[in-house]
Every structure is written in structure tokens, then in C-alpha cells.
Amino acid sequence: MKRNLYVSAAAAAVLLAGGPAAAAAVLLAGGPAAAVAATADAVRTAPAAATAPLADTTAEGAAAAALKDYPGVIESLDREANVWHVDVITKDGKGHAELKVDAATGKVTRENVDTDGDAGEHKDLLAAKVTAEQAVKAAVAAHPGEAWTVEWDSDDNGKAASWHVEVRGSDGKTWDGSVDAATGKVTAESDHSDSDEDYGNDDNG
């Protein structure tokens, strides 16, 4: 009876390490002692589990993190190396925060906060039907890739307010476009190729 218990325990251990085939082979070859020894060897030589890479924070993720830290409306969001720079305006128009969001961890750092701004200066942004987050989704839907920049653009020359969005494609090219702040219509401005040095390897951020 004791021998059967030993065999069962050894087989169970080897099953965990190498599966049914390994357990059967070891038991047939050398019995319980061999199974225990083989299990120990398997544990010593088993490769360490690969460490999962940190998730990269997208434009949408950076916006969400920024607004959680400082509620309001996104005015601009720009990726520089491994950092997102985000400007947020409070919904009363008086507060303005410049935030940094770590692209690897999502951690938010407040660089500058102003609570005594001119509410009238941001009235168009606050009244816009299309938010920065929605502009990003619209732009990426029109031109697949990763949004790298979204900026509020409201000119005084009668031009309709819009969001300027840059989308970086898998082919390395950057697509520039605008998203109408009232209708969400996407208009392409240009396609050009930018090197990774411009977008991914700038350590100044």
C-alpha cells in the first residue's frame, strides 16, 4: 500500500512538470525514485516564465487617466517618446491643468495647474459636440493606426472649429487630418513619412 502511495505522489508531481507521457515514461523506467528525481531535475531546468511587457497606454487611455486625475475636457493630447502631454480645461472654463501620463504605467503627474483662467477663452471647446476622445476614434476609424496627437483648433477667421489629429500607421507614415467639432466629419490633410526618431526615440519627454 505504501509503495502505491509513493508511486501516486511521484506520478502526480511529474504530471505537473511534464504531463502524462512524462509521468508514464519515468515510472516505467525507474519507478517512484526515478520519478521524484526526474521531477526535481525538471524544476531545476524549467525555463522561467516570460515576463509580460508593460501595456502601452493609447491616446484614449491617456485621456481617461488624465481626466480621472483632473476632471474636465481634453484640450490637447500629444505623445512624446514614452510620455503623453495632456491639457485639460475644467468644465467651468476657469481651471487648466498640464499633465504628463507615463505611457508604460499610466501614472499621471501634474506639471502645472491654473484655477483662475478666463472662462470665455474656452467657450467653444466646452460647447463642442465632439470631444477629443471622439475625434481620436473617428480619425482612427478613417485611417487605421495609433493616434499620436489631438489638438483643439478654433480659429477666429470664420473657419469651423475642429480637432487636428495625427495618426501613426503600421507602415511608419503619419496621417494628418481634422475632425469637425460639430459633425465629426473627418478630412485628410496630408500623408507623410516620419522616422521613429521623431516619435519613438525622443527622450526629452
Side-chain angles (χ1 to χ4, degrees):
M1 180 62 71
K2 288 184 178 180
R3 181 178 181 280
N4 290 338
L5 290 175
Y6 294 152
V7 171
S8 298
V14 178
L15 277 171
L16 292 175
V26 171
L27 286 173
L28 288 174
V36 173
T39 302
D41 289 339
V43 171
R44 286 193 298 268
T45 59
T51 303
L54 292 172
D56 189 66
T57 303
T58 62
E60 294 93 330
L67 292 178
K68 183 178 180 180
D69 181 85
Y70 192 86
V73 177
I74 299 291
E75 181 181 33
S76 68
L77 189 151
D78 181 63
R79 176 76 176 260
E80 184 179 9
N82 62 339
V83 173
W84 288 99
H85 296 278
V86 189
D87 283 344
V88 179
I89 305 299
T90 55
K91 291 185 178 181
D92 63 3
K94 296 181 180 180
H96 172 216
E98 296 176 2
L99 310 172
K100 289 173 61 175
V101 180
D102 189 295
T105 65
K107 180 181 178 181
V108 180
T109 302
R110 295 187 181 187
E111 291 190 295
N112 183 49
V113 175
D114 179 15
T115 58
D116 193 26
D118 180 5
E121 184 179 346
H122 306 293
K123 62 180 181 179
D124 290 343
L125 169 65
L126 299 174
K129 293 182 179 180
V130 178
T131 65
E133 300 95 306
Q134 292 169 333
V136 166
K137 290 181 179 179
V140 171
H143 190 91
E146 182 181 355
W148 220 250
T149 298
V150 56
E151 296 176 336
W152 176 251
D153 184 9
S154 180
D155 295 328
D156 297 328
N157 58 5
K159 182 181 178 181
S162 63
W163 292 98
H164 170 70
V165 185
E166 292 183 4
V167 178
R168 190 181 184 193
S170 58
D171 58 1
K173 292 183 178 180
T174 297
W175 175 88
D176 288 320
S178 63
V179 179
D180 190 287
T183 66
K185 180 181 178 180
V186 179
T187 303
E189 294 179 3
S190 67
D191 279 291
H192 59 275
S193 179
D194 286 301
S195 67
D196 290 342
E197 184 175 287
D198 292 330
Y199 289 95
N201 296 326
D202 185 350
D203 295 328
N204 294 328

